[in-house]
Amino acid sequence: MVVGVLGGGQLARMLALDGYPLGLEFVVLDPAEGVCSASVSDQLQGDYDDEMLLAELANKADVVTYEFENVPAAAVEFLSGKVPVYPPPQALATAQDRLNEKTMFRELDIATPQFAAVNSLAELEQAMDQVGWPAVIKTRTQGYDGKGQAVLRQVEDLAPAWESFGGVPAIVEAFVPFEREVSIIAVRSRSGEMVCYPLTENTHREGILRLSIARPGDAMQALAEEYAQRLLSKLDYVGVLALELFQAGDELLANEFAPRVHNTGHWTQDGAETSQFENHLRAVLGLPLGATDTIGYTAMVNLIGDFPAVDDVLVNTHSHLHLYGKEPRAGRKVGHINLRAQSRNALEAELKLILALADE
Amino acid sequence: MVVGVLGGGQLARMLALDGYPLGLEFVVLDPAEGVCSASVSDQLQGDYDDEMLLAELANKADVVTYEFENVPAAAVEFLSGKVPVYPPPQALATAQDRLNEKTMFRELDIATPQFAAVNSLAELEQAMDQVGWPAVIKTRTQGYDGKGQAVLRQVEDLAPAWESFGGVPAIVEAFVPFEREVSIIAVRSRSGEMVCYPLTENTHREGILRLSIARPGDAMQALAEEYAQRLLSKLDYVGVLALELFQAGDELLANEFAPRVHNTGHWTQDGAETSQFENHLRAVLGLPLGATDTIGYTAMVNLIGDFPAVDDVLVNTHSHLHLYGKEPRAGRKVGHINLRAQSRNALEAELKLILALADE
């Protein structure tokens, strides 16, 4: 079986590494040269809207998936006519538009911060009455890792923020004074089988995920699973979905979901019975899903911009290094370290060393 | 860093799959087309004694290793002049000749079955007095998976066995009435650091490994480690070495060693902190070695000739499938299943199901 992937970055690379043992082969479509997945997959090099290449991809692959949510909807629609594409196009369309996404949360009784659609400065001013201060304005489409966002703290912030977006449709959301950010990685297969991983506690820095800690047995697990399963069912979803949530008191407020394998699920490579990558492949191929139980206590530290000497990482025998084959560059995710310990206390202690190492 | 591998079979494939996360790239030299590692490595296609290709391999790779012990000694010698080659040539030379291998065991006070060199039918007849009945005659070089061997039970067996070998130098060994076959996977790095995995208990069928069970805490662990470490030190070894032993009573008798990652160590992919493949790469690159502690209770079942439906394997959530991308063919190893359970009892129970599945 051949799996086609739109995008040849580190997520495609890690899908392939976990897919070969299942007897799979991989072909990616990506416009860039020297992509992360190049050594472990075939590549069709060209634009995502090149119908010749899309047809070639559909022809080579038994199933197609994608590793990022800004895939042109037209590309997915075109492919869908020729080959099974998962996650399904409606999930992609919903995730690509923050207003549709938040509206779906509301429809499914998934708690979410107050929000309002904004198409002009006047609407923004009005919306603030409804949403309250402070708030965050975000473009409805595009934007990731903190880009395409601005914080609104006072009336004077409104006009500059609106203008900086160049008048594109936006959404304004209440700024939630959250205690922690968590995510849940959920999987649904073609047969409708669903599994969830233990909750992940996440820390961002400058808008980029820095640290994820798996929290098996977390008090919020059941609620997070309930929310994720509502989404999976509603979207007739197939594959891995990551739902990001803010915790405020006993409440979980849905921030956004990603219709793909997700950085906050990388810890599953070393910390769970089955990795999110393998489970995504199992789901889109209609195979039985793998167990999501944890192995030990695991945290993931992103390597951003550059990575430490490999020796220094591996000398800690509980570290598992995952490099993406990328050249270092400021702000770029070049790899991650999964740290797996025997106890929660041991994890906390060793994590300090790994965080210091990643910061060097 | 680029790792060169002589041979592009499943061992090279699994080395590569575990090496990419360390930021490595792979190039293999193999005469065959469509080798197992093709999708996850570059390949130089040609004979192992083609000096043009060997020079190209040395030029592309920062270090060279090999995945089988029948590599021509001249090829390794040629490469050694141009690039570091591990395990070292003297380990390969010793492992390639059963007489040298057994003689080294004897020199290192590693218990071994009675044996004698045999270069003629007359010598074979004489040797039987020394070795005793029954015995096994084996060619000194070549031979694997039960090939190049014959059992000698009575005088009438001698001439046909000797003739079937075509007069090549041979070794005759006492047939040990062993209680079980075990192996120890040991690793030594360029810095001299040594680690061993827990003992593996092995079952062969028709000369081919069928089943391996990891036995952490086994009573024979210390003795097996002692033997393995004597070998590693004597050979100034670098990489993974597998030492196969027969247990008879409280004794371990060394049968043979393989200077490479080994089928009886495949369970470490899912059952140990660090797999034998990653540790082999760490060793040959001079990186710190990874922990060899077990995770749960693990067994490995080889898939020989053909493999069961993937669904049927994965529906057992403790099964981890490893296919090699090979076409089914009688007697061919096409993959393996690692079964990891929470307890020894659970392992025994589930193993029956997996063995039945592998036999279908």
Side-chain angles (χ1 to χ4, degrees):
Chain A
M1 298 281 272
V2 177
V3 176
V5 187
L6 296 171
Q10 64 261 28
L11 301 181
R13 174 180 163 109
M14 292 186 280
L15 279 169
L17 288 174
D18 275 8
Y20 281 104
L22 300 178
L24 307 175
E25 296 284 329
F26 292 84
V27 54
V28 308
L29 171 60
D30 196 300
E33 209 169 335
V35 292
C36 289
S37 75
S39 303
V40 295
S41 69
D42 282 341
Q43 182 183 356
L44 303 174
Q45 199 184 334
D47 289 332
Y48 294 116
D49 53 9
D50 181 331
E51 293 198 350
M52 286 280 285
L53 282 183
L54 289 169
E56 195 181 338
L57 181 68
N59 194 40
K60 288 189 167 179
D62 297 292
V63 61
V64 170
T65 187
Y66 41 88
E67 60 143 28
F68 68 113
E69 58 268 50
N70 293 323
V71 178
V76 171
E77 202 175 323
F78 179 86
L79 280 170
S80 297
K82 298 176 186 298
V83 64
V85 181
Y86 300 113
Q90 69 269 25
L92 186 66
T94 308
Q96 282 179 344
D97 185 317
R98 293 177 198 282
L99 182 62
N100 293 353
E101 189 181 33
K102 286 282 196 313
T103 304
M104 178 171 285
F105 290 151
R106 194 174 272 173
E107 282 169 13
L108 293 173
D109 265 337
I110 297 172
T112 186
Q114 279 291 329
F115 67 90
V118 165
N119 294 299
S120 67
L121 182 56
E123 280 185 18
L124 175 56
E125 286 162 350
Q126 265 188 320
M128 291 310 297
D129 293 339
Q130 178 192 338
V131 167
W133 299 86
V136 187
I137 184 167
K138 299 174 179 173
T139 54
R140 273 178 62 173
T141 60
Q142 308 291 331
Y144 60 93
D145 284 350
K147 292 170 191 121
Q149 303 197 6
V151 179
L152 307 172
R153 297 185 192 282
Q154 50 196 5
V155 175
E156 289 71 26
D157 293 339
L158 299 185
W162 179 250
E163 276 150 30
S164 75
F165 285 7
V168 298
I171 178 173
V172 63
E173 302 171 5
F175 189 91
V176 178
F178 59 83
E179 284 128 41
R180 57 174 189 157
E181 291 179 88
V182 296
S183 59
I184 186 150
I185 306 293
V187 200
R188 187 169 180 273
S189 82
R190 282 161 80 158
S191 69
E193 184 189 358
M194 287 192 274
V195 295
C196 291
Y197 287 91
L199 217 58
T200 308
E201 196 176 305
N202 305 311
T203 308
H204 290 76
R205 194 162 67 182
E206 292 162 22
I208 302 177
L209 181 70
R210 159 84 168 150
L211 168 68
S212 287
I213 306 178
R215 294 295 190 203
D218 195 276
M220 306 310 286
Q221 182 74 27
L223 183 58
E225 285 195 18
E226 171 62 30
Y227 284 170
Q229 289 177 355
R230 278 183 212 165
L231 264 181
L232 293 177
S233 301
K234 172 71 178 180
L235 292 164
D236 198 14
Y237 197 85
V238 174
V240 160
L241 176 146
L243 175 61
E244 295 190 83
L245 304 142
F246 299 124
Q247 181 172 356
D250 281 347
E251 242 192 340
L252 289 179
L253 299 171
N255 179 32
E256 61 181 26
F257 76 88
R260 55 170 169 83
V261 288
H262 196 253
N263 198 168
T264 66
H266 289 1
W267 65 267
T268 62
Q269 291 173 310
D270 297 290
E273 275 286 333
T274 314
S275 79
Q276 66 165 345
F277 300 100
E278 180 172 339
N279 256 338
H280 183 71
L281 294 168
R282 290 186 186 211
V284 302
L285 289 162
L287 294 167
L289 298 181
T292 56
D293 309 85
T294 48
I295 300 170
Y297 293 80
T298 305
M300 184 227 56
V301 176
N302 265 342
L303 300 173
I304 299 161
D306 202 351
F307 53 87
V310 169
D311 294 65
D312 292 342
V313 177
L314 299 184
V315 79
N316 179 316
T317 54
H318 298 124
S319 293
H320 298 270
L321 181 62
H322 298 268
L323 293 177
Y324 306 153
K326 280 180 176 175
E327 289 301 312
R329 196 170 70 199
R332 195 180 210 191
K333 293 175 182 171
V334 294
H336 66 272
I337 299 170
N338 286 335
L339 178 67
R340 181 178 60 204
Q342 303 279 346
S343 70
R344 196 166 161 153
N345 285 346
L347 181 67
E348 308 275 332
E350 292 185 38
L351 189 50
K352 287 183 189 143
L353 303 174
I354 299 298
L355 285 168
L357 199 60
D359 260 349
E360 269 174 11
Chain B
M1 298 282 273
V2 177
V3 177
V5 187
L6 295 172
Q10 64 261 28
L11 301 181
R13 174 180 163 110
M14 291 186 280
L15 280 169
L17 289 175
D18 275 8
Y20 281 105
L22 301 179
L24 306 176
E25 295 285 328
F26 291 84
V27 54
V28 308
L29 171 60
D30 196 300
E33 209 169 336
V35 293
C36 288
S37 74
S39 302
V40 294
S41 69
D42 282 342
Q43 183 182 355
L44 303 175
Q45 199 184 334
D47 290 330
Y48 294 116
D49 52 9
D50 181 332
E51 293 198 350
M52 288 280 285
L53 282 182
L54 289 169
E56 195 180 338
L57 181 68
N59 193 40
K60 287 189 168 177
D62 297 290
V63 61
V64 170
T65 188
Y66 41 89
E67 60 142 28
F68 68 114
E69 58 269 47
N70 294 324
V71 179
V76 171
E77 201 176 322
F78 179 85
L79 282 169
S80 297
K82 300 176 184 298
V83 64
V85 181
Y86 300 114
Q90 70 269 26
L92 187 66
T94 307
Q96 282 180 343
D97 185 317
R98 292 178 200 279
L99 182 62
N100 294 351
E101 189 181 32
K102 286 282 195 314
T103 304
M104 178 171 284
F105 290 151
R106 195 173 271 173
E107 282 169 12
L108 294 173
D109 265 336
I110 297 172
T112 186
Q114 279 293 328
F115 67 90
V118 166
N119 295 299
S120 67
L121 181 55
E123 280 186 18
L124 175 56
E125 286 163 351
Q126 265 189 319
M128 292 310 297
D129 292 339
Q130 179 192 336
V131 166
W133 299 88
V136 187
I137 184 167
K138 299 174 179 174
T139 54
R140 274 179 60 173
T141 60
Q142 307 292 329
Y144 60 92
D145 282 353
K147 291 168 190 124
Q149 302 196 7
V151 179
L152 308 172
R153 298 185 192 281
Q154 49 196 6
V155 175
E156 289 71 27
D157 293 340
L158 299 187
W162 179 251
E163 277 150 30
S164 75
F165 284 8
V168 299
I171 178 173
V172 63
E173 301 171 5
F175 190 91
V176 177
F178 60 83
E179 282 128 42
R180 57 174 189 158
E181 291 179 89
V182 296
S183 59
I184 185 148
I185 307 293
V187 200
R188 187 170 179 272
S189 82
R190 283 162 78 159
S191 70
E193 184 189 358
M194 288 192 273
V195 295
C196 291
Y197 287 91
L199 217 59
T200 309
E201 195 177 305
N202 306 311
T203 308
H204 289 77
R205 194 163 67 182
E206 293 163 20
I208 302 176
L209 181 71
R210 159 82 168 152
L211 167 67
S212 287
I213 306 178
R215 293 296 190 203
D218 194 277
M220 305 309 287
Q221 181 75 27
L223 182 59
E225 285 195 17
E226 171 62 31
Y227 284 170
Q229 289 177 357
R230 278 184 212 165
L231 264 181
L232 293 177
S233 300
K234 172 72 177 177
L235 293 165
D236 199 13
Y237 197 86
V238 174
V240 160
L241 176 146
L243 175 61
E244 294 190 83
L245 303 142
F246 299 124
Q247 182 172 355
D250 281 348
E251 241 192 340
L252 289 179
L253 299 171
N255 179 32
E256 61 182 26
F257 76 87
R260 54 170 170 84
V261 287
H262 196 253
N263 198 167
T264 66
H266 288 2
W267 65 267
T268 62
Q269 291 174 309
D270 297 291
E273 275 285 334
T274 314
S275 79
Q276 65 165 347
F277 300 100
E278 182 173 338
N279 257 339
H280 183 72
L281 295 169
R282 290 186 186 211
V284 303
L285 290 161
L287 294 167
L289 298 181
T292 56
D293 309 85
T294 48
I295 300 170
Y297 293 79
T298 306
M300 184 228 55
V301 176
N302 264 343
L303 301 171
I304 299 162
D306 201 352
F307 54 88
V310 170
D311 294 66
D312 292 341
V313 177
L314 299 184
V315 79
N316 178 316
T317 54
H318 297 124
S319 293
H320 298 270
L321 181 62
H322 298 268
L323 294 177
Y324 307 152
K326 280 180 175 176
E327 289 301 313
R329 196 171 70 199
R332 195 181 210 189
K333 293 176 181 171
V334 295
H336 65 272
I337 299 169
N338 286 335
L339 178 67
R340 181 178 60 207
Q342 304 278 345
S343 70
R344 196 165 161 153
N345 285 346
L347 181 66
E348 308 276 332
E350 292 186 37
L351 190 50
K352 287 185 188 139
L353 304 173
I354 299 298
L355 284 168
L357 199 59
D359 260 349
E360 265 175 12

